[in-house]
Amino acid sequence: MLYLIGLGLGDAKDISVRGLEVVKKAKSVFLEAYTSILSVDKLALEELYGREVILADRELVEQQADIILQDAKSEDVAFLVVGDPFGATTHTDLVIRAREQNIPYKVLHNASILNAVGCCGLQLYNYGETVSIVFWTDDWKPDSFYDKIAANRKRGLHTLCLLDIKVKEQSVENLMRGRKIYEPPRYMTVSEAVKQLLEVPKLRNLNKEEAAYDETTLAVGLARIGSNEQQVVFGTMKSLLSHDLGPPLHSLVVPGEMHFLEKEMLYRFAVDINTDET
């Protein structure tokens, strides 16, 4: 059996009791280590589980999945995912591969940023399409997220923005030369995401009336949600440009229309706006 086990967001002990029972008995335990990060390291997990945990990077999961699946044909294999197993499409692909090989699987769910974002006070059923914001380079500035945010705001819906993670990435030069040399990990911050968001209307030559948002638009910055050090701040995009939310992981929400109860909750996290507006 292949078990896909969600670890939750904040602590090694956030794994479910059922998930922990599987981990302790499985022949192999893999930890997916590139779509998200846990606030504790692999050693803390191994101490809790009482066994070895094998780090599974993008190359292993996406190109060498048979290494994970081969034992699952006859033994129990645990595949651990920070958050919920289906928070990334990669894990859906792993399930498809297992089914193609007639390998039975079970999914043990857990909290992910997709539901834990409710901690800021914006109701989950008022969110539109989630977007991803990737690091720009000098000659590559994808901005399709803008259109989705604009569409959500036009419908009065909130937008959850998932921010880029660069783990075990190669430079173009090293990739072309076939050198297994990797760049240091990078995790996009709220301020970096907002900076890119505010650049898009300028790049598209949109005036203030045409743009879906500007620096006065209210937004929510979130960091390390689910951990004891989680932070939530609510303010203008301009204020979030200079607000340091500390270590990763960060997320951003661009609100749509807000119910008075949503506003009442959000203003508890206000950093630069008049709370009397509620």
Side-chain angles (χ1 to χ4, degrees):
M1 178 80 72
L2 173 66
Y3 287 90
L4 291 90
I5 302 173
L7 296 182
L9 295 170
D11 189 271
K13 295 180 180 178
D14 286 346
I15 188 173
S16 67
V17 174
R18 188 179 177 198
L20 185 58
E21 290 174 346
V22 171
V23 167
K24 287 182 175 294
K25 295 179 180 179
K27 179 178 181 180
S28 302
V29 180
F30 293 89
L31 172 63
E32 187 266 85
Y34 63 91
T35 61
S36 189
I37 58 171
L38 201 59
S39 60
V40 295
D41 60 21
K42 182 171 80 79
L43 292 177
L45 297 181
E46 291 178 331
E47 183 177 347
L48 175 64
Y49 303 158
R51 59 172 307 156
E52 179 189 12
V53 173
I54 304 166
L55 286 180
D57 60 17
R58 183 186 297 274
E59 182 179 351
L60 174 60
V61 178
E62 294 185 351
Q63 301 177 28
Q64 304 172 30
D66 286 342
I67 294 176
I68 298 171
L69 296 175
Q70 60 186 358
D71 287 338
K73 295 177 181 178
S74 57
E75 304 280 354
D76 287 344
V77 172
F79 184 76
L80 310 181
V81 180
V82 178
D84 186 82
F86 289 140
T89 55
T90 292
H91 311 130
T92 303
D93 180 66
L94 189 61
V95 166
I96 291 172
R97 295 187 189 208
R99 295 187 67 174
E100 288 174 345
Q101 298 180 39
N102 295 315
I103 298 171
Y105 72 92
K106 286 186 179 179
V107 179
L108 305 184
H109 296 283
N110 211 318
S112 77
I113 189 60
L114 296 175
N115 54 20
V117 68
C119 70
C120 72
L122 295 174
Q123 297 299 313
L124 295 180
Y125 51 75
N126 288 334
Y127 279 79
E129 184 175 358
T130 297
V131 305
S132 296
I133 302 176
V134 301
F135 282 111
W136 282 356
T137 65
D138 291 338
D139 54 4
W140 187 64
K141 297 184 177 182
D143 62 1
S144 59
F145 57 80
Y146 174 86
D147 300 300
K148 295 176 182 179
I149 294 172
N152 284 343
R153 284 176 63 79
K154 187 175 182 179
R155 298 172 60 200
L157 301 175
H158 315 314
T159 306
L160 170 61
C161 304
L162 304 178
L163 310 188
D164 201 6
I165 297 173
K166 297 289 188 186
V167 179
K168 206 174 180 181
E169 297 276 342
Q170 294 175 269
S171 67
V172 174
E173 180 182 355
N174 286 327
L175 189 61
M176 292 178 65
R177 293 178 179 272
R179 296 185 298 209
K180 295 291 185 179
I181 300 174
Y182 301 100
E183 301 294 297
R186 295 176 63 199
Y187 306 96
M188 183 178 285
T189 65
V190 164
S191 61
E192 289 172 320
V194 172
K195 182 179 180 180
Q196 290 187 186
L197 257 68
L198 292 175
E199 280 294 310
V200 177
K202 298 176 184 177
L203 293 173
R204 296 190 177 191
N205 295 316
L206 300 176
N207 60 40
K208 188 172 182 178
E209 288 70 31
E210 295 172 324
Y213 53 76
D214 58 33
E215 64 179 16
T216 66
T217 300
L218 298 175
V220 188
L222 306 102
R224 301 171 302 284
I225 297 304
S227 75
N228 292 331
E229 293 77 37
Q230 85 170 28
Q231 284 196 42
V232 180
V233 294
F234 177 55
T236 62
M237 286 192 175
K238 181 178 180 179
S239 71
L240 295 184
L241 281 172
S242 58
H243 198 91
D244 183 6
L245 282 168
L249 288 171
H250 291 194
S251 302
L252 177 72
V253 176
V254 181
E257 296 176 8
M258 292 184 283
H259 186 272
F260 74 90
L261 287 177
E262 292 179 299
K263 288 184 178 181
E264 183 176 348
M265 182 71 170
L266 269 180
Y267 274 80
R268 307 295 184 213
F269 306 113
V271 291
D272 72 332
I273 46 184
N274 183 2
T275 56
D276 290 338
E277 292 181 27
T278 55

